[in-house]
Amino acid sequence: MGPDAIGDTAVAELTKRTDVSIDKEMDPIAMGPVRVEIQFQDGKSITAATERLLGGPDAPMTEDMMFNKFRACLETGLGAERGSIDRLAETVMNLEKEPNAALLADIFPSG
């Protein structure tokens, strides 16, 4: 995962050979179960499944996992720097101490 992978020609070629479909038998708004099946051109397939999604109510993330995901999303999506990401995270985690939540718009990293 990262900006380099987005422009990687090998990844782009793989996406051209990829089809995604929704299993109509599964609840489309459920937090689980989730199943991924990969079918290869030679007819073989592999499947991975889980009953619970990490970060869902039945499998919550640790605080460290949550912060790492938050950082990765803002670094990859916005090109934000670690210091500004951590400042935003700290402010959100202590928002009840702030007189006005509008502060979040002021400190949100712009990349």
Side-chain angles (χ1 to χ4, degrees):
M1 180 177 92
D4 294 340
I6 293 170
D8 187 324
T9 56
V11 173
E13 288 301 314
L14 179 61
T15 62
K16 291 177 185 177
R17 302 187 317 267
T18 303
D19 293 314
V20 177
S21 61
I22 305 295
D23 184 342
K24 292 183 179 11
E25 294 180 19
M26 299 182 88
D27 183 349
I29 60 169
M31 292 294 290
V34 174
R35 182 178 62 246
V36 173
E37 181 178 1
I38 301 173
Q39 295 178 338
F40 298 96
Q41 291 178 340
D42 65 4
K44 294 179 183 175
S45 67
I46 57 173
T47 302
T50 183
E51 293 296 316
R52 303 176 309 163
L53 293 179
L54 181 60
D58 295 336
M61 288 188 211
T62 65
E63 191 170 286
D64 281 345
M65 293 166 77
M66 180 182 62
F67 282 126
N68 288 336
K69 181 175 182 176
F70 184 72
R71 285 182 190 110
C73 287
L74 291 179
E75 286 171 352
T76 301
L78 297 178
E81 294 183 9
R82 178 78 180 251
S84 61
I85 295 170
D86 288 348
R87 180 173 177 221
L88 176 62
E90 182 69 25
T91 303
V92 168
M93 294 303 290
N94 293 290
L95 196 55
E96 72 278 358
K97 297 176 185 174
E98 298 296 333
N100 188 335
L103 166 70
L104 295 176
D106 294 336
I107 65 169
F108 195 87
S110 59

